[in-house]
Amino acid sequence: MMSHTVEVDISQQPSGLRFAANFNAAVLFIDRHISEGRGAKIAIQTCDTAITYAELAANVNRCAAGLVRLGLERGDRMLMIVKDCPAFFYLFWGAIKAGIVPVPLNTLLRSNSYAYMIDDSGAAALVYSPEFAEEVLTGIAGAVRAPRTVLCTDGAEYSLAALLAVSDPEFEAVPATADADCFWLYSSGSTGQPKAAVHRHRDMVVTSQRFGVETLGIREDDVFYSEAKLFFAYGLGNNLTFPLWVGATAVLNEHRPGPSTSFPLIKQCRPTLYFGVPTLYAAYLQHFTKERPDLATVRQCVSAGEALPAEVLRRWYEETGLWIMDGIGSTEALHIFISNTTGDIRPGSSGRIVPGYSARILDECGAEVADGESGQLFISGDSTARCYWNNAERTATTMVDGWLNTGDTYRRDAQGYFYYCGRSDDMMKVGGIWCSPFEIESKLVEHPEVVEAAVVGRVDQEDLVKPEAFVVLKEGHAGSTALAAELMEFCKDGLAPYKYPRWVNFVAELPKTATGKIQRFLLRPKAGGQPANG
Ligand code: 3UK
């Protein structure tokens, strides 16, 4: 078995991660723990089960063997619409071990998005949790070319559970290299069509070591709890790669995060590291008068996904005695590349560059700006995606000479602290998840009374961004509170639930350029329409 392992030289910090010529990440993140004597330790904890490292390794092998038996081959893509549960781990690592490329998808999406991703990826297989059957099966029906193999994790006759039951618990990792393609993650674009960031075997090692170990200080005795789900790059790092890198324990919540599902689990599993998003920190603060989570064992809270308003940070500290470490990451970079650190938390700042990464802030001409001035943030580091799948144009504009254009406007002060100043495009983050104005506008104009619509980000009383719609109605129709409510419901029905506009304004016309392009920036309540921190 160990012939496929790697030597990652983690003694050479921060300069040298050395990968063996033959490198399959699954050996390091899964099998290593058996050879290092962690077989009996709990790797995954849920509200009703605990999976040891030995069980995890055996099920990863069964999954790899089972997928191969189903006819999946090296390089084939396997879409995963799977809730946070042990099967997510078996599928993700089983695929990687067999040289199959897992592609975890956002489980909140609708069938048309799944249909698009099935066709865009040319996936050979798709695995889903029974909870998502309706949207997933409709998506498959709507795709031009359905995946050859479709598997439900359990509950169905032809299920992953049944496959594991008849598969071998031993599996030799397929030879790979640190630079070989390993897994993909989709990221949304401003025109609404998502694009897949292609990540390599080494990328998870780099994020686990650079941000996990060297910045956050993750350890073997940690218990990880992530409110962000595993299908986000943020959640995938927090709860899947980081714990498995140091041989720690991950706590999984298969339900939507919120006081009723998270608080009992936190009480039961006693995490030491807590990963949230600004929207949830703010929502929990609102809820504190009724009920509080038991954070007695937590030594560090982390936030990412969107800017953490300074006020939320301060109030969380007042209420819990815990500082939140805000950091910016992206799907393309895989995890956090600029971050605050324990003992050095600057409210309103994203912190400083994470070791192993470099940042440049450029003006429109591509020249580096002076300290204190804002510009486009570019970063480089060893965990950035090789390319976007099947999209040479976006690859060429986003990944330039080893630098990744983050699409964010930032400024850096003389001490090296970075301050978020908004997006450079029209995209917005709602609850840490991408929201394309174009997608919401397209939905609104499907309504029989709507002629056209423009959507922008507006900050709410918590300083967090939510979509706001400006709608032009057909002649003879008048705006009303009832119609505004109807349009919100209409959007909730056809879009991922977090994407509906929280405010609807009826207007006579929309501001347009001479070429007819909507000038969304003229509709934004203030420059950038972004949180007023920093
Ligand atoms: C925004 C932030 C200000 C920013 C992510 C941690 O969010 C993640 O990845 P996505 O691809 O989005 C990336 C974009 O989100 N953003 C994220 N964090 C912050 N803006 N302050 C922050 N702290 O626009 C960025 O370009 O969904 C976060 C780890 C892994 C991730 N993928």
Side-chain angles (χ1 to χ4, degrees):
M1 179 181 75
M2 300 324 270
S3 65
H4 285 269
T5 26
V6 265
E7 294 300 328
V8 174
D9 186 358
I10 51 178
S11 63
Q12 298 273 311
Q13 293 317 311
S15 55
L17 288 173
R18 279 200 288 118
F19 298 89
N22 177 13
F23 179 80
N24 185 317
V27 178
L28 196 62
F29 283 92
I30 302 289
D31 301 339
R32 174 170 58 97
H33 300 296
I34 309 306
S35 53
E36 290 182 359
R38 255 172 238 109
K41 180 169 178 177
I42 292 173
I44 307 168
Q45 176 83 55
T46 73
C47 65
D48 55 11
T49 51
I51 308 292
T52 64
Y53 271 97
E55 289 169 312
L56 172 61
N59 277 326
V60 165
N61 286 343
R62 287 190 183 99
C63 197
L67 294 173
V68 169
R69 204 143 47 87
L70 288 177
L72 289 176
E73 291 175 3
R74 239 167 124 165
D76 278 349
R77 274 80 61 195
M78 177 183 79
L79 303 184
M80 293 171 56
I81 300 126
V82 177
K83 66 186 176 187
D84 280 22
C85 64
F88 191 110
F89 281 58
Y90 309 156
L91 286 160
F92 186 81
W93 291 110
I96 289 173
K97 202 163 179 187
I100 297 157
V101 178
V103 188
L105 302 184
N106 182 339
T107 61
L108 301 168
L109 298 178
R110 303 296 187 179
S111 55
N112 56 341
S113 300
Y114 293 135
Y116 175 81
M117 289 162 170
I118 289 167
D119 288 327
D120 179 64
S121 64
L126 181 152
V127 190
Y128 66 98
S129 299
E131 287 83 348
F132 314 121
E134 199 182 317
E135 297 293 338
V136 169
L137 297 177
T138 314
I140 293 171
V144 175
R145 201 187 128 274
R148 276 199 320 273
T149 305
V150 176
L151 211 58
C152 184
T153 51
D154 40 32
E157 220 174 283
Y158 194 57
S159 73
L160 176 70
L163 186 69
L164 294 183
V166 297
S167 296
D168 200 332
E170 303 286 329
F171 187 88
E172 182 85 6
V174 163
T177 67
D179 288 332
D181 292 355
C182 183
F183 65 101
W184 300 357
L185 291 170
Y186 272 91
S187 179
S188 309
S190 53
T191 53
Q193 285 313 13
K195 50 214 186 299
V198 175
H199 279 288
R200 297 172 264 217
H201 278 260
R202 68 161 189 231
D203 298 353
M204 290 182 284
V205 174
V206 172
T207 55
S208 300
Q209 185 61 26
R210 297 308 194 196
F211 177 73
V213 174
E214 295 170 30
T215 306
L216 181 55
I218 59 171
R219 313 187 294 243
E220 188 175 349
D221 61 352
D222 274 321
V223 178
F224 292 70
Y225 179 61
S226 174
E227 300 277 18
K229 297 297 175 197
L230 295 170
F231 63 76
F232 295 115
Y234 181 43
L236 190 80
N238 303 340
N239 243 3
L240 185 138
T241 53
F242 296 175
L244 296 182
W245 178 244
V246 290
T249 301
V251 176
L252 301 184
N253 175 2
E254 67 171 70
H255 303 289
R256 259 188 79 158
S260 66
T261 66
S262 297
F263 291 6
L265 197 58
I266 291 171
K267 197 177 172 66
Q268 179 195 340
C269 300
R270 310 182 65 72
T272 58
L273 294 171
Y274 175 86
F275 300 85
V277 294
T279 302
L280 267 185
Y281 282 114
Y284 286 177
L285 281 169
Q286 296 281 318
H287 193 81
F288 273 13
T289 47
K290 287 187 219 117
E291 189 193 8
R292 301 168 163 258
D294 176 3
L295 300 171
T297 48
V298 173
R299 69 179 162 83
Q300 185 64 62
C301 295
V302 180
S303 177
E306 58 185 318
L308 179 69
E311 193 50 29
V312 174
L313 178 81
R314 287 198 197 96
R315 281 182 49 216
W316 188 263
Y317 177 71
E318 270 166 34
E319 295 289 338
T320 68
L322 290 164
W323 288 111
I324 305 170
M325 224 171 99
D326 184 17
I328 172 177
S330 74
T331 305
E332 290 79 358
L334 190 55
H335 214 274
I336 293 172
F337 48 81
I338 290 174
S339 181
N340 285 276
T341 51
T342 313
D344 184 18
I345 305 271
R346 295 249 162 146
S349 166
S350 304
R352 296 210 252 197
I353 195 81
V354 166
Y357 294 87
S358 312
R360 299 200 305 190
I361 301 178
L362 305 182
D363 66 16
E364 305 85 66
C365 308
E368 237 170 297
V369 301
D371 285 344
E373 277 171 34
S374 64
Q376 281 276 100
L377 178 69
F378 286 72
I379 62 127
S380 75
D382 292 337
S383 65
T384 58
R386 183 173 68 75
C387 65
Y388 290 122
W389 168 256
N390 207 11
N391 199 333
E393 198 184 321
R394 289 305 299 268
T395 302
T397 52
T398 311
M399 299 159 192
V400 195
D401 297 333
W403 290 88
L404 179 70
N405 184 350
T406 61
D408 296 301
T409 306
Y410 259 86
R411 69 182 166 81
R412 173 174 42 200
D413 69 15
Q415 286 78 45
Y417 293 89
F418 288 80
Y419 293 85
Y420 178 68
C421 308
R423 288 287 303 170
S424 333
D425 55 22
D426 289 321
M427 294 294 282
M428 64 186 115
K429 277 302 196 73
V430 179
I433 320 179
W434 280 127
C435 218
S436 152
F438 179 79
E439 189 187 358
I440 307 171
E441 290 159 4
S442 308
K443 184 69 207 173
L444 282 166
V445 299
E446 284 176 23
H447 189 277
E449 290 179 40
V450 175
V451 180
E452 55 180 359
V455 169
V456 297
R458 168 171 162 182
V459 290
D460 62 11
Q461 71 277 12
E462 234 88 56
D463 243 2
L464 294 164
V465 177
K466 301 283 179 300
E468 173 174 34
F470 293 83
V471 172
V472 180
L473 293 176
K474 285 191 183 149
E475 258 185 53
H477 292 271
S480 65
T481 328
L483 183 57
E486 185 181 323
L487 290 175
M488 290 182 198
E489 285 308 310
F490 184 71
C491 287
K492 276 191 201 173
D493 223 33
L495 299 171
Y498 55 91
K499 293 179 180 169
Y500 76 95
R502 311 305 199 267
W503 303 271
V504 175
N505 309 287
F506 298 101
V507 292
E509 59 181 339
L510 297 174
K512 300 254 180 80
T513 61
T515 54
K517 212 171 164 238
I518 300 173
Q519 293 171 299
R520 295 191 187 85
F521 67 94
L522 290 177
L523 294 166
R524 283 184 201 134
K526 57 181 159 190
Q530 298 287 351
N533 59 337

